[in-house]
C-alpha cells in the first residue's frame, strides 16, 4: 500500500540521504511534497538543496515548498559547523531542474490536509518542527487528515548533541516541538538514543562510495565530510545517520524497538532549552508518543543501501 507522505526537512547532509531513500521508493511513498524549514542551514539554502536532491534522484515531479525562515519564538540556530555552509558537506549536486513552488510550505500543508481524507497523510519531519506547528496553530482542523507523524528528534539517555541536554531539532525550535507533542496526534519520535546506533562505519562508507551510481558517491561524500569534522567525536564508528531512520522506520518499522512514552519539551531559555523529558514508565493512557528505543543497525543500513542503489 503506497503511503501518502509529506517530508519537512532542513537539508542538511542526513536529510539528503533520507530523501534519497524516500524518492527511490515510489512503490512505498506517494510523496505529495517536500517542505523546507530553517535549521541546519538558512531556509534558502535548505530549499535549494531539496531542489538539487530531487534533480539528483530524477524526481523533479515532487514539488518543493519553502517554509518558515526562523523558529516560532527563538532566533535561528544553524549547524553549518557540521553540514558545511552549503549544507551538503563537500558534495556537489546537479543544479536544480525545477523551481520551488511559490506557495508557502505552511499554506501547502493546510491546503493539502484540508482536502485530504481523514487520517490519510503521514508527516515526516526531519528538522525543526516550525512549519508543522505553525500549520497546526493556523488550522487546527487539519489534524483529522494526519495519519501519523514520524519525526527525528529528541533524546532520552543520550542527553543532547547541540547542547549537553538537547537534540538539535528540539533545541532549534522548542516551542514548535511543544505544540506538536501536545497536539494529541499519533507520533513516533526517533531520537538520538536510536539514531546514534546507526553509524556510517568505514565499511558502510565504503559500500556507499563503491555503489556505482551518483547518489551513492554523493551520499559517501556528504557523510564523509561529517566524519572528517567529527572524527574525534564519532571515532571509528563514523557519523550517525539520524534522518534516514525516519524513512527506514516507515519502510520497515520492525527494524526498530519502540515503547510508549510521555514526551515534553523544555521551552524556557538556559541550560535545558529543548530538552526532551521522555517518560517511558508512565501509565499507557498518559502517553503521547511511541519512543524509539533501538534499531537493527545492520539490517537498517542494508535497506538504506539497497534503496539508494536504485537511483
Ligand atoms: O540532531 C540531528 C538532527 O539535527 C538531524 O535532523 C540533523 O539533520 C539536524 O537537523
Ligand atoms: Ca535534519
Amino acid at each position: 500500500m503506497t503511503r501518502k507522505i509529506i517530508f519537512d526537512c532542513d537539508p542538511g547532509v542526513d536529510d539528503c540521504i533520507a530523501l534519497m531513500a524516500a524518492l527511490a521508493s515510489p512503490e512505498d511513498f506517494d510523496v505529495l511534497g517536500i517542505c523546507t524549514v530553517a535549521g541546519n542551514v538558512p531556509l534558502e539554502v535548505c530549499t535549494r538543496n531539496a531542489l538539487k536532491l530531487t534533480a539528483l534522484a530524477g524526481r523533479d515531479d515532487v514539488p518543493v515548498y519553502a517554509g518558515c525562515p526562523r523558529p516560532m519564538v527563538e532566533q535561528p540556530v544553524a549547524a553549518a559547523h557540521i553540514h558545511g555552509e552549503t549544507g551538503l558537506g563537500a558534495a556537489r549536486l546537479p543544479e536544480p531542474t525545477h523551481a520551488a513552488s511559490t506557495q508557502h510550505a505552511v499554506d501547502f500543508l493546510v491546503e493539502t490536509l484540508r482536502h485530504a481524507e481523514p487520517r490519510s497523510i503521514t508527516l515526516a519531519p526531519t528538522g525543526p518542527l516550525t512549519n508543522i506547528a505553525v500549520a497546526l496553530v493556523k488550522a487546527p482542523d487539519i489534524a483529522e487528515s494526519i495519519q501519523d507523524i514520524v519525526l527525528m528528534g529528541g533524546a532520552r539517555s543520550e542527553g543532547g548533541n547541540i547542547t549537553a541536554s538537547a537534540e538539535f531539532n528540539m533545541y532549534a525550535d522548542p516551542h514548535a516541538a511543544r505544540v506538536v507533542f501536545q497536539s494529541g496526534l499519533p507520533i513516533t519520535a526517533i531520537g538520538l538514543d536510536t539514531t546514534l546506533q546507526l553509524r556510517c562505519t568505514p565499511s558502510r562508507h565504503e559500500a556507499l562510495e563503491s555503489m556505482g551510481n551518483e547518489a551513492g558517491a554523493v551520499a559517501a561524500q556528504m557523510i564523509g565530510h561529517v566524519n572528517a569534522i567529527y572524527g574525534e567525536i564519532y571515532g571509528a564508528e563514523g557519523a550517525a545517520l539520524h534522518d534516514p531512520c525516519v524513512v527506514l522506520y516507515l519502510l520497515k518499522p520492525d527494524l526498530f524497538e519502540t515503547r510508549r512514552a510521555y514526551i515534553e519539551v523544555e521551552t524556557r531559555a538556559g541550560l535545558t532549552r529543548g530538552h526532551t523529558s521522555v517518560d517511558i514508565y508512565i501509565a499507557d493512557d498518559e502517553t503521547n508518543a511511541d519512543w524509539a528505543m533501538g534499531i537493527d543497525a545492520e539490517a537498517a543500513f542494508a535497506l538504506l543501501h539497497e534503496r539508494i542503489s536504485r537511483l
Side-chain angles (χ1 to χ4, degrees):
M1 173 78 172
T2 303
R3 178 191 293 262
K4 290 185 184 300
I5 192 166
I6 297 172
F7 287 93
D8 190 273
C9 54
D10 59 337
V13 165
D14 54 333
D15 303 77
C16 285
I17 297 173
L19 289 174
M20 284 181 186
L23 296 175
S25 309
E27 74 285 1
D28 297 284
F29 301 127
D30 175 7
V31 184
L32 304 179
I34 296 172
C35 298
T36 58
V37 65
N40 288 317
V41 286
L43 176 68
E44 306 70 40
V45 183
C46 289
T47 306
R48 189 163 172 74
N49 290 344
L51 291 165
K52 287 183 171 186
L53 204 283
T54 55
L56 171 73
R59 293 295 311 276
D60 60 8
D61 58 298
V62 176
V64 172
Y65 299 86
C68 296
R70 52 152 298 164
M72 293 178 86
V73 174
E74 303 295 348
Q75 288 303 311
V77 171
H81 57 293
I82 296 176
H83 299 263
E85 291 304 321
T86 66
L88 303 173
R92 294 187 62 75
L93 274 67
E95 286 307 304
T97 46
H98 67 147
S101 167
T102 54
Q103 186 176 33
H104 192 286
V106 170
D107 296 329
F108 162 71
L109 284 164
V110 171
E111 184 181 301
T112 303
L113 288 164
R114 273 194 169 147
H115 292 93
E117 293 298 311
R119 294 275 178 263
S120 64
I121 296 178
T122 291
L123 302 184
T126 60
L129 292 166
T130 317
N131 289 339
I132 293 171
V134 170
L136 287 170
V137 168
K138 179 175 182 179
D141 56 290
I142 64 173
E144 65 187 52
S145 303
I146 298 171
Q147 176 181 338
D148 53 2
I149 298 178
V150 181
L151 64 91
M152 191 279 141
R156 180 171 175 272
S157 54
E158 280 296 340
N161 58 358
I162 190 72
T163 69
S165 54
E167 179 278 324
F168 178 81
N169 291 336
M170 301 293 109
Y171 179 85
D173 196 341
H175 301 86
R178 173 173 285 229
V179 166
V180 171
F181 279 109
Q182 292 190 344
S183 66
L185 285 163
I187 295 171
T188 298
I190 306 176
L192 297 179
D193 300 52
T194 291
T195 63
L196 284 169
Q197 295 178 33
L198 183 58
R199 300 296 187 93
C200 192
T201 59
S203 62
R204 292 172 183 164
H205 187 256
E206 163 56 30
L208 291 172
E209 217 162 31
S210 60
M211 188 178 280
N213 62 355
E214 186 180 14
V218 166
Q221 267 183 336
M222 291 195 285
I223 203 74
H225 170 86
V226 182
N227 273 347
I229 297 257
Y230 268 64
E232 71 279 4
I233 291 184
Y234 286 120
E237 288 185 283
L241 294 161
H242 301 292
D243 294 338
C245 287
V246 167
V247 176
L248 293 166
Y249 178 85
L250 288 163
L251 286 171
K252 209 166 173 28
D254 59 8
L255 292 177
F256 293 76
E257 179 204 345
T258 61
R259 62 182 288 171
R260 293 296 297 166
Y262 178 69
I263 301 176
E264 195 160 355
V265 187
E266 177 57 79
T267 55
R268 287 172 297 183
L271 204 53
T272 56
R273 167 184 153 178
H275 175 75
T276 43
S277 162
V278 183
D279 186 342
I280 60 174
Y281 300 113
I282 200 166
D284 212 45
D285 61 0
E286 296 177 54
T287 60
N288 62 353
D290 286 329
W291 174 251
M293 300 289 289
I295 184 174
D296 177 343
E298 272 306 302
F301 183 80
L303 178 56
L304 180 64
H305 185 277
E306 185 273 324
R307 293 301 159 116
I308 295 175
S309 70
R310 297 179 175 191
L311 295 177

